Amino acid sequence: MKALVQTSRHLALGRRPLGLTVVARRRAFCDSPSEESTRVAEGDEQETPSGPRVLFTAPPMKKLASDTEGALSTSAICTAGGIGAALMGIAPFTPPNPFMIALLLSVVQVQFAHGWMLRQLWAQRRRHVLEVVQEEKDGITFVTIRCDGGLTRELKLESGPASGSTPSFADIATQGQSFMFLDRNLGEVQDAEALDALLQTEQGLASEELTTEPVSGESKEEAGKFVQKFTDLTREHLKSIAGKDGGSPEQALNALIRSSQIAGIGFLLAGSTLGVMGRSSADQALTAAAQEQAKNQ
């Protein structure tokens, strides 16, 4: 009863009871953290990063490509020298017209072989993936693949899985390594989960845009002529070339250097040997003819 009387007196005088004030403050203090945490959680959901995501990066193979190009040029010089020496060896025994035809064919052969090996160099550089970027726009997946050698592929994936003879992106990534190779030994995976999901997706390609820049010794027409479009591939084609890519681009370029060196040295040694033997035979024939003429006189 005393407590009720004191409370009524406080209310009459316009004062707040001490106990009620403490309770009100405790409730306000207890309610505010939950509300604040709810606001923070909503803010975090709204601040989820969006836009392009870099999934994979790798350094370009500039030094190896330069070494390969130098080896191919040296091989072409050695091959031309060997064929020239061989032609000089057979010149004394060959009529003029057949000799000129053989000389012309040799020039064309050396140029063709050198151009063919350069195309292999360009193709291997454009297999090497430098960067993979993925972006989601309105539920549609866009993938940008930037490769060495000035090649950029901008892909738009279909919303559903691939059907019929059209390959999925997973088919291209696993069986089409002749055209695209992610060298994880040289590169660095930025988002492993997203990259694995992309490489295993069964979505097909809705469209593809190619941007090709010429590299050293290549014309602008050749730059876009020898690049395979992913949208032109079929499941049958991919199955026929699966496992025939020759390893990573780095391994392929090292093999190209070795083969060009062997070919250049082989042509040079064989041509020089044939040239020396031919000149020696011609000198012996001239000496014998001169001795025979002297005897007749």
Side-chain angles (χ1 to χ4, degrees), residues 49-56 131-137 139-145 153 155 157 169 191-199 201 203:
S50 60
R53 291 185 298 165
V54 179
L55 309 184
F56 177 82
E131 187 180 58
V132 178
V133 179
Q134 183 179 1
E135 184 177 7
E136 300 288 339
K137 291 182 180 179
I140 301 175
T141 303
F142 295 87
V143 180
T144 301
I145 302 174
R153 299 178 184 270
L155 309 176
L157 302 187
F169 188 81
D191 192 335
E193 184 178 354
L195 180 62
D196 292 339
L198 175 63
L199 297 179
T201 182
Q203 293 174 273

Side-chain angles (χ1 to χ4, degrees), residues 175 235-244:
Q175 300 177 352
R235 294 182 187 270
E236 292 75 15
H237 184 198
L238 289 175
K239 288 180 181 179
S240 64
I241 64 174
K244 300 179 182 179

Side-chain angles (χ1 to χ4, degrees), residues 29-45:
F29 180 78
C30 294
D31 292 341
S32 59
S34 61
E35 295 176 358
E36 182 178 0
S37 62
T38 303
R39 289 194 298 269
V40 171
E42 292 176 354
D44 291 342
E45 291 179 359

Side-chain angles (χ1 to χ4, degrees), residues 29-30 46 57 90 95 116 213 242 291:
F29 180 78
C30 294
Q46 293 176 358
T57 57
I90 66 173
W116 178 67
E213 299 177 2
Q291 292 175 354

Side-chain angles (χ1 to χ4, degrees), residues 7 13 15-16 25 38 51 72 95 104 116 122 134 144 151 165 188 193 202 205 219 230 249 279 285:
T7 302
L13 295 174
R15 299 176 183 176
R16 294 180 181 179
R25 287 181 179 177
T38 303
L72 296 182
L104 179 62
W116 178 67
W122 301 332
Q134 183 179 1
T144 301
L151 174 63
S165 61
E188 182 180 358
E193 184 178 354
E202 292 299 324
L205 300 184
S219 64
F230 288 168
R279 296 305 301 179

